[in-house]
Amino acid sequence: MAAPVGDDVFGDDPSVCALQRKAAAMLGKEAALFVPSGTMANQICIRAHTEPGDEIIVEAGCHIYLYEGGGYAALSGVSIRPVPAELGLLTAEQVRGAIRPPGGLSHFPPSRLVCVENTANRGGGTIYPLERLSEIGAVAREHGMRYHLDGARLFNAAVGSGVDVARIAAPFDSVSICLSKGLGCPVGSLVVGSRVFIDRAHRFRKMLGGGMRQAGIIASAGVYALEHHVDRLAEDHRRAHAFAVAVAGVAGIEVDLAGVQTNMVYADVSGTGQDAHLLAATLAEHDVYVVAVSPTHIRAVFHLDVDDSGLESAVAAFASCA
Ligand SMILES: *Cc1c(COP(=O)(O)O)cnc(C)c1O
């Protein structure tokens, strides 16, 4: 609340500028732009990279395709090519196979942008191997396409794999990151990229109504999170793994441990004979809050408000309710 503020619509809020400089430096890019949400960050990037009628290639379970209200179609006028991939992680060959053939420009929508999500939420919070990211980037470049990283959980990927965020971000033309997920801020996301790209993104932020005035109040929380809440993500990962192993031992619950790589656990609860939504409601009565993502599956996420005793009570609640 004591943050120095200005007017970020005029570009002179010192706290917002400090956050943008810090994020750009950490990711090894020239510039960054503070935006209200991760959804807006992705939508700005899609709009800035494409023209109406272009096509974008994504993984079939990704946030951009499933959870952004169809924004790619409504706001950018692009068509989408969703490609299902094991653990939510695309391969370069899958991307190559989804690119529209050359020479058919009057028939086909031009493939313009590849988006990957790291970590991949619906894959289980899975991490892209570094080589895979550069292989996909090479395919994109070879076809004159742009390359976007939905890095809502980029820092989980970095901490989980022991690879610096700048190395993960290197092959991408644009990156979105969320401060409001595991990093623990109340609000805020960033678009990161080259100076030229961020200048263009700024115009689309304006168009979408994402310019905020004395935004230093929330941007300062972001600076704090980037300084204090990154390394501790390892604790969330440790607890998620311990939780996965423990609930996998509960009768009727199955967990694909290969997908448990960071801070989340997807559990198949169909063997309990209970609908996942009902089970989630029962767990909530025990102060354990999880999301039923389907009638058979529950997602549990570990974050900075869940400590070791929270982990123990969550395991106990699953054991008694399932
Ligand atoms: C949460 C999330 C977003 C969007 O974040 P909001 O701030 O909720 O709009 C984008 N991508 C992924 C992978 C996410 O998990």
Side-chain angles (χ1 to χ4, degrees):
M1 289 180 73
V5 294
D7 185 335
D8 187 50
V9 169
F10 290 152
D12 66 8
D13 184 299
S15 303
V16 173
C17 294
L19 172 64
Q20 292 175 163
R21 274 195 308 272
K22 185 170 191 65
M26 286 174 90
L27 269 66
K29 303 286 188 202
E30 288 172 0
L33 185 69
F34 188 44
V35 298
S37 71
T39 298
M40 192 188 287
N42 284 333
Q43 292 303 322
I44 286 171
C45 291
I46 295 168
R47 182 63 189 85
H49 284 308
T50 62
E51 293 301 329
D54 287 347
E55 188 161 83
I56 68 174
I57 296 171
V58 303
E59 200 282 321
C62 78
H63 198 276
I64 287 173
Y65 182 46
L66 294 183
Y67 305 127
E68 301 192 4
Y72 60 87
L75 303 173
S76 296
V78 295
S79 67
I80 196 160
R81 189 77 180 268
V83 180
E86 197 184 335
L87 293 175
L89 307 175
L90 291 165
T91 66
E93 281 322 298
Q94 285 178 310
V95 171
R96 191 188 295 282
I99 295 172
R100 301 290 186 166
L105 272 189
S106 64
H107 294 286
F108 301 127
S111 304
R112 192 70 73 197
L113 175 69
V114 181
C115 303
V116 301
E117 189 175 296
N118 194 21
T119 63
N121 169 23
R122 293 304 301 261
T126 44
I127 305 174
Y128 269 92
L130 206 54
E131 322 76 70
R132 184 97 65 99
L133 292 177
S134 57
E135 286 161 16
I136 296 172
V139 169
R141 264 195 311 284
E142 200 183 298
H143 292 82
M145 298 172 70
R146 304 293 184 75
Y147 193 24
H148 171 70
L149 171 60
D150 178 351
R153 298 186 185 79
L154 171 61
F155 289 94
N156 292 95
V159 168
S161 58
V163 177
D164 188 78
V165 278
R167 286 190 69 201
I168 302 177
F172 292 95
D173 299 300
S174 59
V175 181
S176 57
I177 60 171
C178 285
L179 301 168
S180 56
K181 298 276 171 78
L183 294 182
C185 289
V187 61
S189 289
L190 289 138
V191 175
V192 191
S194 69
R195 182 78 256 166
V196 169
F197 178 79
I198 292 300
D199 287 347
R200 185 167 161 78
H202 201 155
R203 165 145 183 271
F204 294 116
R205 185 184 76 173
K206 182 59 165 175
M207 207 184 268
L208 295 174
M212 298 178 282
R213 300 279 179 185
Q214 283 79 51
I217 299 275
I218 49 175
S220 288
V223 172
Y224 183 91
L226 290 175
E227 285 174 357
H228 298 94
H229 289 171
V230 174
D231 294 342
R232 64 150 307 287
L233 292 172
E235 292 176 37
D236 298 338
H237 299 177
R238 171 179 63 77
R239 291 188 185 107
H241 188 261
F243 175 80
V245 170
V247 298
V250 174
I253 298 186
E254 278 181 39
V255 179
D256 177 5
L257 290 172
V260 182
Q261 301 180 6
T262 53
N263 66 330
M264 53 178 71
V265 178
Y266 282 87
D268 180 347
V269 299
S270 51
T272 66
Q274 299 184 63
D275 180 280
H277 295 91
L278 283 179
L279 179 54
T282 312
L283 289 164
E285 288 167 16
H286 291 70
D287 277 338
V288 174
Y289 300 96
V290 296
V291 171
V293 296
S294 74
T296 55
H297 282 73
I298 270 175
R299 187 189 76 166
V301 176
F302 286 79
H303 51 82
L304 80 177
D305 298 321
V306 182
D307 58 14
D308 284 330
S309 80
L311 164 64
E312 276 171 37
S313 10
V315 170
F318 266 77
S320 73
C321 301

